[in-house]
Amino acid sequence: MFAVGEADTVMSGNGKGKLFVVSGPSGSGKSTLCREAIKRTNVKVSVSATTRGQGKNEVDGRDYYFLSRAEFEAKIAADEFLEYAEVFGNYYGTPAEPVKEMLGQGQTVILEIDVQGATQVFEKFGAAMGILVLAPSAEEIKKRLAGRGRDDEETIQKRLAKALWEIEQAKNNKHYRYTIVNDDVERAIDEMVTIFNK
């Protein structure tokens, strides 16, 4: 695990890598933007771990590391996560070692994580750069959440409330240096690519 200040040492000078933290509420389209931006750049994405069930089209180690609750909690106890949080009854977290290795090799790495987890990362990585992805409006967030067909109305309302809270938290965090409003997907992807290539 990183000692205080070690993370920034890994990222500074000598061709070492850069770390971007991409956050955005459910329905903002951050996953789509990240996926497409990764195809157009040399950035590496950190694979998160989770205790939620594996989707039928998901591959362990590519989409997530799927862990049991006991496995996840053992890794928490061993301080093996850069950040973690419990969201809607499931744990999500970023394994620290792969990120450290990629940065040490001079690669640009992105973490696609929520604002709660990002706050933990910014405490360890003062040089990390945050990118906040937003839908054009709260109404659009609700429409996108409903359009997924995965949640009932009560869950959609909970996700919408959390989304609005996340936006406020991120806007008050100086580490979010960039904001992308995802009202036009191609333009938003181009904007993200430009940021990654800086």
Side-chain angles (χ1 to χ4, degrees):
M1 194 58 200
F2 294 109
V4 175
E6 180 188 353
D8 284 341
T9 301
V10 169
M11 294 171 61
S12 62
N14 303 320
K16 299 303 181 189
K18 292 185 289 186
L19 182 66
F20 288 97
V21 176
V22 182
S23 304
S26 295
S28 64
K30 67 182 178 298
S31 297
T32 299
L33 298 189
C34 285
R35 188 167 54 246
E36 291 304 314
I38 288 163
K39 290 178 185 174
R40 302 176 194 189
T41 61
N42 292 321
V43 301
K44 305 295 181 188
V45 65
S46 171
V47 178
S48 296
T50 184
T51 58
R52 77 158 171 78
Q54 185 173 344
K56 63 179 181 179
N57 295 321
E58 291 179 319
V59 176
D60 185 51
R62 182 194 71 188
D63 299 294
Y64 283 96
Y65 297 110
F66 294 97
L67 305 175
S68 70
R69 196 168 185 87
E71 288 171 327
F72 201 106
E73 289 176 345
K75 288 182 180 294
I76 292 172
D79 200 22
E80 292 182 19
F81 289 110
L82 190 55
E83 58 78 32
Y84 71 92
E86 191 167 5
V87 183
F88 299 114
N90 287 302
Y91 281 124
Y92 293 83
T94 303
E97 200 54 38
V99 174
K100 183 177 179 180
E101 286 176 11
M102 288 186 283
L103 291 173
Q105 292 164 3
Q107 296 174 330
T108 296
V109 181
I110 63 168
L111 307 182
E112 185 191 326
I113 54 178
D114 69 9
V115 172
Q116 184 181 352
T119 301
Q120 296 174 51
V121 173
F122 293 140
E123 286 172 2
K124 297 180 176 84
F125 285 85
M129 292 169 278
I131 302 171
L132 180 63
V133 178
L134 299 175
S137 66
E139 292 75 24
E140 182 64 20
I141 293 173
K142 184 174 181 184
K143 179 180 164 188
R144 291 178 186 181
L145 290 172
R148 294 174 172 182
R150 293 198 305 231
D151 302 315
D152 58 24
E153 182 61 27
E154 182 183 353
T155 304
I156 289 171
Q157 288 300 330
K158 283 182 184 174
R159 288 187 184 277
L160 181 59
K162 183 174 187 288
L164 298 176
W165 177 84
E166 279 190 300
I167 290 167
E168 282 308 306
Q169 295 300 305
K171 284 183 175 177
N172 292 321
N173 188 319
K174 66 179 177 17
H175 289 283
Y176 284 101
R177 300 182 196 176
Y178 306 98
T179 301
I180 299 173
V181 178
N182 188 12
D183 52 0
D184 178 290
V185 174
E186 278 303 314
R187 182 201 56 74
I189 293 167
D190 287 344
E191 200 171 328
M192 187 172 279
V193 167
T194 299
I195 292 168
F196 289 159
N197 286 333
K198 285 188 177 197

